Amino acid sequence: MVNQAHTEAVAEFRRRKDEHFAAGRGPVQGAALAEFQGLSYFAPDAAWVFTVPVQPGDLAEMTMATNTGEARTMARFGLATVNLPSGPHILSLFAPLGEDKPARVFVPFRDATSRTGETYGAGRYLDAPLAQSPESDEMLVHLDFNMAYHPYCAYGDGWTCPLPPAENVLPDAVQVGEKLPSGEAN
């Protein structure tokens, strides 16, 4: 069950993104922009919201593959274990190089919806906020898959988008967040 505050936060996130795209500041351009009616989304579901401890990473540089073949280098900030319907899964969390205390981490992922055409085949992204646990010195990450979004390369050419590493490929169908319009192949 999704509470009202969460539903409103998800709706506001989506409204702002649609407004950004409609203003021509996103990847939708030309004739597609003139026809833009807003992005497509799954219904929110609180079962896909996790606040879990971060297992610290070594901040080692990791070269991530991209859709264009151009490498992107980020730091492996840490790991987080989420309890998916299929069982626990460990996700890698990334930060820009040189940021040892970021406010949020980057979580590229693919899931079963990426394979069925419900979402972009190369995956989706999360920007997940970090916070200190009120009970301990432990760092927590808030992974709200309702906020999952497609990279710009899902909407047009000319964008370089990092691809999720193998450990961030989820066996489950994450049917929340941004989705492709019905009938659109990726």
Side-chain angles (χ1 to χ4, degrees):
M1 184 158 148
V2 177
N3 72 39
Q4 185 65 27
H6 182 258
T7 300
E8 289 171 4
V10 170
E12 177 62 12
F13 173 80
R14 292 172 177 183
R15 184 197 63 73
R16 284 190 329 239
K17 185 162 186 184
D18 284 349
E19 187 176 271
H20 179 80
F21 276 38
R25 294 188 302 262
V28 179
Q29 300 294 316
L33 182 59
E35 298 173 11
F36 183 74
Q37 298 287 318
L39 300 171
S40 296
Y41 301 97
F42 291 103
D45 184 348
W48 290 98
V49 180
F50 306 90
T51 299
V52 296
V54 174
Q55 299 165 278
D58 56 11
L59 297 176
E61 288 186 18
M62 179 175 173
T63 301
M64 299 177 81
T66 68
N67 64 312
T68 61
E70 177 184 322
R72 284 280 169 91
T73 305
M74 300 194 82
R76 187 183 310 270
F77 181 80
L79 303 170
T81 301
V82 292
N83 289 315
L84 302 176
S86 63
H89 191 92
I90 299 172
L91 290 167
S92 287
L93 313 174
F94 299 95
L97 292 176
E99 285 194 35
D100 59 345
K101 295 184 184 201
R104 57 187 57 245
V105 290
F106 175 61
V107 186
F109 72 96
R110 275 196 350 248
D111 65 282
T113 66
S114 304
R115 294 185 296 276
T116 63
E118 291 177 277
T119 62
Y120 184 53
R124 293 183 285 168
Y125 298 161
L126 280 178
D127 297 320
L130 297 169
Q132 195 74 35
S133 169
E135 292 90 33
S136 69
D137 289 337
E138 192 169 49
M139 181 67 63
L140 302 174
V141 62
H142 184 71
L143 298 161
D144 185 347
F145 285 89
N146 293 283
M147 304 295 198
Y149 63 94
H150 289 134
Y152 276 12
C153 55
Y155 300 103
D157 296 330
W159 303 96
T160 299
C161 302
L163 301 174
E167 66 268 23
N168 285 13
V169 176
L170 308 176
D172 301 88
V174 181
Q175 292 181 312
V176 292
E178 198 171 316
K179 67 179 184 175
L180 293 173
S182 296
E184 183 175 324
N186 53 344

